[in-house]
Amino acid sequence: MSTAPVIEVGTRNSAVKATLERFQELFNSLDAGNLSTLSSVYSETVKFQDPLSSVSGLYHLTHYFAGAYANVVSCQFDFGDPVIAGGKVAIPWVMRLRHKRIRRGREIRVDGMSNLVIYNGKVTHHRDYFDAGQLLYEHLPLVGRVIRSIRKHAA
């Protein structure tokens, strides 16, 4: 697996780069059966937020991901070039997701970005930005038809 080039702002920090590499590897291998590996990247006191939820602590993050990955068939991330400023990282991605309850398990793609704070080799803050509509609403049968209808009539 190749990693994206790194764009660094400020001083070089090899611990941040190593943690970022582990973060990328984790999310391209994560599934409902290996959530214990979250501790290899996240601090015990991690604060996590995305458009659907907000949790504090590794215990709560593990339970959040247990629910999120419960019906996932596969999930892979194509990471873009990260921007690193000290211990702060912004990294864009495209998630390729196959979920039993979304589009009958067919792959969808969701564009997003993760903002991370890394301290002492662990992620202490993780915030994901993505369009929840692109993830869920556009792919649920009834809602998807309504959205497509609105777009068609607006055009």
Side-chain angles (χ1 to χ4, degrees):
M1 177 169 100
S2 64
T3 59
V6 175
I7 300 168
E8 291 191 71
V9 178
T11 61
R12 297 182 67 84
N13 186 337
S14 60
V16 171
K17 287 173 55 177
T19 303
L20 181 58
E21 287 177 16
R22 287 195 326 270
F23 173 85
Q24 292 177 36
E25 290 169 4
L26 171 72
F27 277 92
N28 277 320
S29 64
L30 196 62
D31 62 39
N34 67 357
L35 295 174
S36 63
T37 60
L38 291 169
S39 64
S40 69
V41 171
Y42 290 101
S43 74
E44 285 290 326
T45 58
V46 64
K47 295 189 184 319
F48 173 86
Q49 183 176 2
D50 69 14
L52 306 174
S53 188
S54 179
V55 297
S56 292
L58 184 57
Y59 175 83
H60 294 290
L61 181 63
T62 301
H63 283 278
Y64 174 69
F65 281 138
Y69 277 83
N71 290 298
V72 168
V73 176
S74 67
C75 185
Q76 293 290 299
F77 289 83
D78 299 322
F79 290 100
D81 296 340
V83 176
I84 300 173
K88 295 181 180 179
V89 177
I91 185 165
W93 43 260
V94 176
M95 177 176 59
R96 292 177 288 122
L97 174 69
R98 290 183 55 226
H99 189 283
K100 293 176 186 175
R101 296 184 178 169
I102 301 173
R103 278 192 70 203
R104 296 186 175 127
R106 293 190 307 266
E107 184 178 281
I108 64 168
R109 291 176 182 253
V110 179
D111 301 309
M113 174 169 279
S114 293
N115 283 343
L116 309 172
V117 176
I118 298 172
Y119 181 74
N120 286 337
K122 297 282 186 164
V123 174
T124 61
H125 293 79
H126 176 173
R127 183 165 185 180
D128 279 342
Y129 296 90
F130 60 85
D131 181 351
Q134 187 183 22
L135 173 63
L136 296 174
Y137 310 124
E138 292 179 15
H139 302 291
L140 298 175
L142 177 59
V143 176
R145 283 194 296 268
V146 170
I147 290 171
R148 286 187 293 277
S149 176
I150 290 170
R151 286 182 178 163
K152 179 181 172 184
H153 288 66

